[in-house]
Amino acid sequence: MLECIHPTYKAIDDQSVHILLPLAFDYQMEGLLHRCECFLITHNLPFLEKVWIADRYKLNRLLALCLREMRPNAKIDMNGAKYYALSDRVKVLLLERLHGSPPPEEIAEPPLDLESFQRATDLNFAAIRAKTGRVYYVNPYYVAAWSNVFQDRILTNSHVEELYSPCSHEELSAFLMAIHPPQLRINEQNIGPVLMSAVKMESPGLLKKCSAILLSPQTHLSVFVRLSLLDRCFLHEMLPQCLQMVQRPEHLIQMTQQTTYDCLSTRARAAMLDRLAALLENPGLQSHSCQRCKMTSTCTNVTWLCPHCKTYSSDVNLLKGGAVTGNQFGAVNPITGPGYGGTMNGPYQTGGVGQPQGIYGNGPSTSGGAYGNTTINSTTLR
């Protein structure tokens, strides 16, 4: 338990969760209960065992999700010890769900506020003052575990009654809400002030959480916004990893036309140029969907299929004449007949022999389709 509530915040696993739940429930540790509930939501357990845990430890969010996943006329083992240990309230919910009643709405998490930080108590025995003058009362040793700035000040002064923060009022409040249990859930709306406060307070733990969100593909933020946040907080070592999300050179060109592009540092703009150079050196194929497996890919190796004998080959020289069907990168018009004189019907440009094709540089006279990829009288497959 101490390893999980200490600011290092050891991750909860399938073994420790059964030890932590009774302790967190008996000692009313809402922050630890919340973390256990979040783990159980994504962890695979038998349905009835999850319902029993949610009922026993009053995890209403987990219970609502279990009832939502439950289907009417579902088979439930009503002879086991877990079922007999359920409360009457949960048994009624299961019965109504079995008969097709709609599941209950998800119970919202209790709102977090700063009330506990705004009054001085025996637990909150030090004052933190923001640059704008607002004062919050906190445990200085807990904050020092999250901030190298405060850690240095407390080590040099054992009797701390008031600390001055380099953050504004909004940033300091976001910092306290993010580190104090049950910990504010960081999302796209509040990551700005939280990230700025983590930088100013020199908080490696909070910086790690924010960077994981910024670099996650599930985060609904544009690459330019992520780049701006990392640049503003001087996290330049993460810029190349962030720019790896850009897969097409024209998207980088569009980023340079943003109204806030001039606010980026020289290092951020240089990182954009490095990524552009890498994309132009080996642009590869545009993202496309395979007609056979329906998977989206940007593969560069193309296998050719003979339309007559259905033979697969990677050797372009083996393909001679014959009208074929087109593909999404450009195909020979079957009306013009065999050879290389056909009109390229790809989504980018058209042309016959002697007209260089492709977007990024001139391919050979027989090339066609996007990016200068050779398109001959055959069907291309991945």
Side-chain angles (χ1 to χ4, degrees), residues 341-371:
T343 300
M344 309 306 289
N345 295 326
Y348 295 103
Q349 58 257 15
T350 61
V353 176
Q355 290 182 329
Q357 310 294 335
I359 293 179
Y360 306 110
N362 296 329
S365 61
T366 58
S367 62
Y371 306 101

Side-chain angles (χ1 to χ4, degrees), residues 282-326:
N282 185 21
L285 290 174
Q286 181 193 19
S287 296
H288 59 283
S289 178
C290 178
Q291 299 298 322
R292 170 174 267 184
C293 65
K294 307 301 182 184
M295 293 293 291
T296 301
S297 177
T298 56
C299 59
T300 56
N301 296 324
V302 179
T303 300
W304 304 87
L305 171 66
C306 175
H308 304 291
C309 64
K310 308 300 182 184
T311 300
Y312 292 95
S313 176
S314 298
D315 187 0
V316 178
N317 296 324
L318 296 178
L319 303 170
K320 299 293 183 181
V324 297
T325 58

Side-chain angles (χ1 to χ4, degrees), residues 174-189:
F175 177 80
L176 294 177
M177 298 287 283
I179 69 171
H180 195 274
Q183 291 190 329
L184 176 69
R185 185 172 298 175
I186 303 175
N187 52 34
E188 293 87 347
Q189 286 72 35

Side-chain angles (χ1 to χ4, degrees), residues 27-314:
Y27 290 101
Q28 301 178 17
M29 304 172 69
E30 295 182 2
L32 189 56
L33 266 180
H34 173 74
R35 293 181 60 204
C36 291
E37 184 178 28
C38 292
F39 172 79
L40 290 171
I41 288 174
T42 58
H43 187 60
N44 291 326
L45 282 177
F47 172 77
L48 206 57
E49 184 176 355
K50 263 193 178 182
V51 174
W52 177 82
I53 291 176
D55 183 32
R56 168 68 177 81
Y57 300 109
K58 303 296 185 293
L59 305 178
N60 293 327
R61 183 176 171 222
L62 177 62
L63 178 60
L65 290 175
C66 289
L67 293 174
R68 181 172 299 176
E69 295 174 358
M70 179 182 173
R71 296 290 179 263
N73 302 322
K75 294 182 179 180
I76 299 178
D77 182 15
M78 298 184 179
N79 297 319
K82 297 295 184 185
Y83 173 76
Y84 289 107
L86 294 177
S87 64
D88 293 340
R89 176 181 70 99
V90 175
K91 289 181 180 179
V92 171
L93 290 173
L94 290 175
L95 176 63
E96 294 175 349
R97 187 72 179 122
L98 285 173
H99 286 279
S101 299
E105 295 294 333
E106 182 178 358
I107 302 175
E109 298 180 13
L112 301 175
D113 54 49
L114 294 167
E115 183 180 356
S116 59
F117 300 109
Q118 293 172 349
R119 62 181 185 274
T121 65
D122 293 337
L123 291 178
N124 303 330
F125 51 89
I128 295 183
R129 187 179 298 275
K131 289 195 303 183
T132 52
R134 188 65 181 269
V135 174
Y136 294 105
Y137 297 94
V138 298
N139 184 331
Y141 299 102
Y142 185 84
V143 177
W146 281 91
S147 170
N148 293 340
V149 173
F150 283 6
Q151 188 177 55
D152 295 339
R153 295 179 184 178
I154 290 178
L155 288 176
T156 56
N157 187 4
S158 58
H159 301 285
V160 178
E161 295 183 357
E162 186 168 343
L163 295 167
Y164 292 93
S165 167
C167 301
S168 64
H169 162 61
E170 180 187 9
E171 294 166 349
L172 181 57
S173 62
F175 177 80
L176 294 177
M177 298 287 283
I179 69 171
H180 195 274
Q183 291 190 329
L184 176 69
R185 185 172 298 175
I186 303 175
N187 52 34
E188 293 87 347
Q189 286 72 35
N190 58 26
I191 193 172
V194 173
L195 185 59
M196 287 300 299
S197 66
V199 173
K200 293 181 179 180
M201 301 286 277
E202 298 180 12
S203 175
L206 197 54
L207 275 176
K208 183 179 179 180
K209 292 178 63 177
C210 293
S211 60
I213 295 174
L214 283 178
L215 300 178
S216 172
Q218 285 76 29
T219 304
H220 300 293
L221 287 175
S222 67
V223 178
F224 186 79
V225 172
R226 305 182 198 212
L227 185 73
S228 301
L229 286 172
L230 292 174
D231 182 49
R232 186 182 177 190
C233 297
F234 303 101
L235 300 176
H236 295 138
E237 65 277 2
M238 298 182 185
L239 296 180
Q241 186 176 355
C242 177
L243 287 171
Q244 288 294 325
M245 301 178 187
V246 182
Q247 301 297 329
R248 303 191 58 181
E250 57 265 32
H251 293 166
L252 274 172
I253 301 300
Q254 293 173 2
M255 290 168 61
T256 61
Q257 299 171 355
Q258 297 284 340
T259 56
T260 56
Y261 170 75
D262 293 336
C263 299
L264 294 178
S265 67
T266 303
R267 188 164 180 180
R269 300 182 197 183
M272 292 175 62
L273 182 61
D274 291 340
R275 180 58 181 163
L276 180 62
L279 291 175
L280 291 177
E281 180 180 358
N282 185 21
L285 290 174
Q286 181 193 19
S287 296
H288 59 283
S289 178
C290 178
Q291 299 298 322
R292 170 174 267 184
C293 65
K294 307 301 182 184
M295 293 293 291
T296 301
S297 177
T298 56
C299 59
T300 56
N301 296 324
V302 179
T303 300
W304 304 87
L305 171 66
C306 175
H308 304 291
C309 64
K310 308 300 182 184
T311 300
Y312 292 95
S313 176
S314 298

